[in-house]
Each structure stands twice: as C-alpha cells, then as structure tokens.
Amino acid sequence: MRKLILALALAGTALSSSAIAAEKLKIGTEGAYPPFNFVDSSGKIGGFDVEIGLALCERMKVECEVVAQDWDGIIPGLLAKKYDMIIASMFITEERKKQVAFSNPYYLAAMTHAAPKGAGINDFSNEALKGKVIGAQAGTTQADYIAAVYPDAEIKLYPTQDEANLDMVNGRLDLQVGDMLPLLDWVTKNDDGKGCCELIGEPITDKKFVGDGVGIAVRQEDDELRERLNKALDEIRADGTYKKINDKYFTIDVYTMK
C-alpha cells in the first residue's frame, strides 16, 4: 500500500511538473520590422509586437520566451513547433488561415506607397507605372499586392523591409509598397528615410490584401491558446496596459487607427 501511495504521489508530482512546463510558451517574431519588432544594440528583441506579447503572457500568467525568425520561415517555424505563437505584425488573410489560426486583431492594418522625394508619381495604375522598379518585402501581402496590381513593372523583393528601404535610399527603387506604420516611422524618424523619401497616395485598405487586421497566429489545433489570447487582449485593452505600450511607439491608437 505504501508503495502504491508513493507511486501515486510521484505520478502526481510528475503531472504537476508537466503542467507547469506546459505554461512556458515561446513567441516567434521577425526582429527586423521596426518599430513593431527589432533587435536593439544589446541584442535584445524589442518593439510593439514584443511588448504586447509579453503583456499578454503576463495576463495569462505564463512565462514566455521571444524567438527571432526570418519572415520567410515564420509560419513553417510555428508549424514545426519552434514556438507557440507568432506575434510579428502578420495580416489576417484567408490564404494564411489555410495554415494557421488567428486571434482577434490586436491592431488594424493598411499599406502605403513610398517614393523618393519629388518623384512626381500621382497615378498608381499599372499603365502609368509600366517599367518602373517597384519593391516590397518578400513573402508579405505587400509583395502579393504589387505582383497583382503592377504586372508590367519590374518587381524587386527583399528578405527584410530594411533592405527594401536601403535600395530606395540608394536610388534602386522608383516606388515601394509596405505596411503603413513602419514606413511612416521610417520617413519621419529615420535619418536616411527623412532625407530621401516620402509616403504618397492614399492608404491601401483593400481587404483582399490587408485582411481583417493584424493578429497573433497559432497552430490550428491550439484553439484553447487562441481563446486565452483573445481574453487577455480584451483585458489589457480595458486596464490601460495596451494604451501605455501603444503610446510608447505611436501618436495614434493603432487598435482603432484613430
């Protein structure tokens, strides 16, 4: 009997330890998309996405580790269980829903055009931009957009947004399409961006490309985690935590874009 009791006690301890271990989650992010996610001078991953993710983890009472992953491998990394969720400014689109499940949006999304100052571009039709060199980050909805809208342009795709920006600074791009907030940050706060470039045209809000906002991606079978993230998001919106993080990076509420 004593052996049985001891065995049950040990089994209970093992189960308890397993449950605790299960509450250590990993967040996958790109680390190359300021101000949403970036690696600072000390090598630490930071940014709006990361701070929101850690606030959600705190609210869910779980320990979280942030993992950097190149964008083109970020969904495969989730499916391979390198991390448990993606918080990396990922637009919620029907195409991505075929592979992953999404939380409710944690901010709204729009894309925009950026061009060298004085480029004089005011017609954004395929005909007007025929032969122009247009860039975007590879594997993004922005890349899908320029491929669909500008079939007669010369399309250049880049592993990171920073590389697209650099080519524009160096005069290798006539136009680029990117997520509105990072490009706005670049042309207003970055010395290279301020010196060379400006946002032009109206925001691009076609739901075929920007989807229903920006969400947290989880594996399709992780429905419980998705619901917990939604609940935690509601709570950090209600108690002011979201606003505190938002105001550190932006002058508008990116949850409502107002």
Side-chain angles (χ1 to χ4, degrees):
M1 179 61 75
R2 287 182 179 179
K3 288 183 179 179
L4 177 59
I5 292 170
L6 178 60
L8 289 171
L10 290 173
T13 301
L15 287 171
S16 176
S17 299
S18 175
I20 293 169
E23 291 301 289
K24 293 181 179 179
L25 303 176
K26 291 185 178 181
I27 298 169
T29 197
E30 185 184 12
Y33 205 57
F36 290 97
N37 54 80
F38 54 82
V39 179
D40 67 19
S41 57
S42 69
K44 184 179 179 182
I45 305 171
F48 176 79
D49 288 332
V50 174
E51 291 198 38
I52 290 294
L54 293 176
L56 294 174
C57 290
E58 183 176 350
R59 184 51 56 109
M60 295 189 297
K61 296 181 170 54
V62 298
E63 180 182 340
C64 285
E65 175 186 350
V66 183
V67 178
Q69 169 66 55
D70 290 345
W71 182 259
D72 61 359
I74 204 160
I75 288 180
L78 176 69
L79 300 181
K81 300 188 176 181
K82 289 177 66 176
Y83 30 82
D84 303 287
M85 62 188 103
I86 297 170
I87 308 182
S89 290
M90 181 173 284
F91 291 178
I92 302 168
T93 66
E94 292 304 316
E95 191 63 29
R96 287 177 178 147
K97 286 179 183 178
K98 296 175 184 176
Q99 299 182 76
V100 299
F102 283 99
S103 70
N104 294 335
Y106 66 97
Y107 74 88
L108 295 185
M111 302 187 297
T112 189
H113 296 91
K117 289 180 177 177
I121 298 173
N122 48 42
D123 184 343
F124 296 93
S125 66
N126 177 55
E127 293 76 13
L129 296 175
K130 182 178 180 179
K132 296 288 188 182
V133 183
I134 304 178
Q137 184 178 2
T140 63
T141 50
Q142 294 94 321
D144 295 340
Y145 180 85
I146 61 174
V149 176
Y150 303 121
D152 294 324
E154 179 183 341
I155 303 297
K156 293 190 72 174
L157 302 179
Y158 300 85
T160 68
Q161 183 63 50
D162 283 345
E163 290 172 82
N165 293 347
L166 183 61
D167 254 14
M168 179 157 277
V169 170
N170 291 326
R172 300 190 187 101
L173 284 178
D174 298 307
L175 188 71
Q176 67 164 308
V177 173
D179 189 2
M180 186 170 180
L181 290 171
L183 279 183
L184 177 62
D185 191 72
W186 181 61
V187 301
T188 57
K189 297 179 182 178
N190 179 279
D191 288 342
D192 286 342
K194 285 192 294 184
C196 86
C197 304
E198 61 185 348
L199 303 189
I200 59 174
E202 295 296 319
I204 302 164
T205 57
D206 185 340
K207 282 200 170 187
K208 179 179 178 182
F209 298 99
V210 302
D212 297 315
V214 174
I216 301 166
V218 299
R219 289 179 288 275
Q220 290 180 336
E221 64 269 24
D222 289 344
D223 197 55
E224 181 183 352
L225 175 58
R226 183 181 62 80
E227 291 297 337
R228 290 171 69 195
L229 287 165
N230 286 339
K231 182 174 183 291
L233 178 59
D234 289 343
E235 290 172 355
I236 68 168
R237 282 290 298 172
D239 72 5
T241 301
Y242 184 102
K243 185 179 188 305
K244 183 177 179 181
I245 297 169
N246 179 97
D247 293 354
K248 180 177 176 180
Y249 294 95
F250 309 109
T251 57
I252 62 171
D253 181 353
V254 297
Y255 190 82
T256 61
M257 284 295 180
K258 295 179 182 178

